Amino acid sequence: MGSNVMKNDERYEIRFSGSGGQGIITAAVVMADGVGAFDNKHVCQTQSYGPEARGGKSKAEVVISGSPIDYPKALRVDLLLAMTQTACDAYFSDIKADGLLVVDSGLVKQLPTSRSVSIPFTQIAREQIGRELVANMVALGAVGYLSGQVSLDGLEKALLSRVPKGTEKMNSDALHAGIEEAKKIDLNLLPKSVLSEWEDEL
């Protein structure tokens, strides 16, 4: 994971997106907690529900930086998590040329780029943990690992401090399932840039 270590003043922007009810905002809040409380970086977390909160699009952003953050919202996204096709279609255009798209492979079938990672978050939650509800924590584990922006111990501590009493083990198991799935992926095999693909098509 060493290659992902950021230079001190770099911004790294993550957008979590999906539909209301998928726990998108919770995942972003835990990510921000993990970075801010345990990794000594500057972090800013924002979200927008929109009028379509239940079932419609939902997004939450985490901006991470080694120096104070002057603008809290994501401008050019380094990593976009899309838990629905609608969210993927709506937000993909904000991704950086060398940004990474991470999707729930069971829910997002049309991928706009091959700089993408497809993991069946909802299926893993259902089959390994027994609750689809924790698909957001499976996704968080994968995003935490693939972004290289947070210590995984910090992420787990943040998660345990945020989830309802009695659900700690279920959520922690979901987080670890996502991390383990992400470890199987070699990002070096992906195209270096989204732009290089577009140029090939021109």
Side-chain angles (χ1 to χ4, degrees):
M1 261 171 61
S3 64
N4 285 12
V5 174
M6 56 186 226
K7 298 185 202 69
N8 278 345
D9 53 351
E10 270 184 25
R11 279 172 75 100
Y12 189 96
E13 303 183 349
I14 303 172
R15 178 176 292 158
F16 293 78
S17 68
S19 68
Q22 282 184 307
I24 296 298
I25 288 159
T26 305
V29 167
V30 171
M31 178 79 183
D33 274 3
V35 174
F38 303 103
D39 283 0
N40 291 322
K41 291 177 189 161
H42 295 271
V43 64
C44 197
Q45 194 273 316
T46 57
Q47 66 241 357
S48 65
Y49 298 85
E52 67 287 65
R54 287 295 301 176
K57 290 196 305 290
S58 165
K59 72 169 173 157
E61 296 170 346
V62 179
V63 175
I64 302 161
S65 178
S67 53
I69 294 165
D70 50 1
Y71 186 73
K73 292 199 163 91
L75 300 164
R76 301 297 289 157
V77 178
D78 291 274
L79 190 153
L80 171 64
L81 169 71
M83 296 286 282
T84 62
Q85 186 71 55
T86 307
C88 180
D89 296 345
Y91 300 128
F92 174 70
S93 60
D94 293 338
I95 208 163
K96 278 184 178 167
D98 59 351
L100 182 66
L101 173 66
V102 180
V103 303
D104 187 321
S105 59
L107 301 172
V108 182
K109 303 292 190 191
Q110 303 289 319
L111 293 171
T113 172
S114 51
R115 258 195 76 73
S116 58
V117 171
S118 296
I119 297 175
F121 299 122
T122 304
Q123 185 186 338
I124 290 169
R126 184 171 60 242
E127 293 175 3
Q128 292 186 27
I129 317 298
R131 294 288 300 278
E132 275 192 21
L133 190 69
V134 293
N136 63 331
M137 292 305 159
V138 180
L140 177 64
V143 167
Y145 181 80
L146 293 169
S147 70
Q149 296 295 312
V150 64
S151 75
L152 300 177
D153 287 348
L155 197 57
E156 183 163 30
K157 283 181 190 153
L159 173 130
L160 293 175
S161 72
R162 282 278 177 184
V163 297
K165 285 271 175 284
T167 68
E168 292 93 346
K169 183 178 187 315
M170 176 176 77
N171 279 288
S172 178
D173 287 350
L175 186 79
H176 283 283
I179 291 167
E180 290 310 309
E181 204 60 35
K183 281 181 177 173
K184 300 174 188 172
I185 290 154
D186 184 355
L187 294 178
N188 294 320
L189 298 177
L190 298 179
K192 289 282 171 271
S193 156
V194 174
L195 289 180
S196 60
E197 286 180 74
W198 292 338
E199 283 160 8
D200 291 346
E201 288 168 17
L202 292 176

